[in-house]
Amino acid sequence: MNPPRSNRAITAALWANAALLLAILVALLSRSNGSVLPSAFGQTQPPIAGGGGVFVMPGQTATNMWGAYLLDIDNQTLCVYQYFPGEKQLKLSAARDYKWDRRLHNFNTPNPSPNEVKAMIEKEAAGLNNGGVVPAGRTDPKAGS
């Protein structure tokens, strides 16, 4: 006994649908990242390249100007390079040793030199160790940071 013609059409449509879904699955799995899940919306950052304590991050340095930020963790230095398209050159815009910056507790001015920052840290430490003088912005001379 032969199945009715409408059942054969439904069976053929179901097989075609299954084949199409399989083709979509193969296409998704063969993508470059190998994941079926889409990337998160917040993952549009440029990649950070680096290793051995030195990292390079491309970024915008001014309106319509681009460059790169170089972070040397071992030497505790941050450098900014700006690309000048007319000259086709990457030039050093700024460099900063941040070794002493990280030890400041209460500071907010534009541009002290690293030696000035070091002197402030030493002065603050001497005040905390000699007589318990509380630096501006602190309430407890024994408080850490």
Side-chain angles (χ1 to χ4, degrees), residues 57-70:
M57 174 73 177
Q60 190 168 1
T61 57
T63 305
N64 297 325
M65 293 294 285
W66 297 88
Y69 298 92
L70 182 128

Side-chain angles (χ1 to χ4, degrees), residues 42-63:
Q43 290 182 341
T44 57
Q45 301 175 14
I48 297 174
V54 178
F55 297 91
V56 179
M57 174 73 177
Q60 190 168 1
T61 57
T63 305

Side-chain angles (χ1 to χ4, degrees), residues 21-121:
L21 287 174
L22 182 62
I24 291 172
L25 179 63
V26 168
L28 285 175
L29 291 177
S30 66
R31 291 186 348 182
S32 62
N33 64 1
S35 173
V36 179
L37 301 175
S39 298
F41 290 117
Q43 290 182 341
T44 57
Q45 301 175 14
I48 297 174
V54 178
F55 297 91
V56 179
M57 174 73 177
Q60 190 168 1
T61 57
T63 305
N64 297 325
M65 293 294 285
W66 297 88
Y69 298 92
L70 182 128
L71 178 64
D72 184 344
I73 294 172
D74 296 331
N75 293 318
Q76 298 180 349
T77 305
L78 174 66
C79 300
V80 180
Y81 295 89
Q82 189 167 4
Y83 179 70
F84 294 91
E87 302 171 28
K88 296 185 179 179
Q89 288 189 348
L90 188 65
K91 294 183 179 180
L92 178 65
S93 297
R96 174 92 188 189
D97 179 355
Y98 62 86
K99 179 179 181 178
W100 300 107
D101 293 2
R102 297 179 304 118
R103 296 179 66 190
L104 282 173
H105 299 286
N106 202 12
F107 185 74
N108 191 18
T109 62
N111 57 357
S113 72
N115 288 335
E116 290 173 323
V117 173
K118 179 182 177 187
M120 285 186 276
I121 296 295

Side-chain angles (χ1 to χ4, degrees), residues 3-19:
R5 184 175 179 161
S6 64
N7 284 344
R8 278 187 268 166
I10 291 174
T11 302
L14 288 174
W15 278 107
N17 192 17

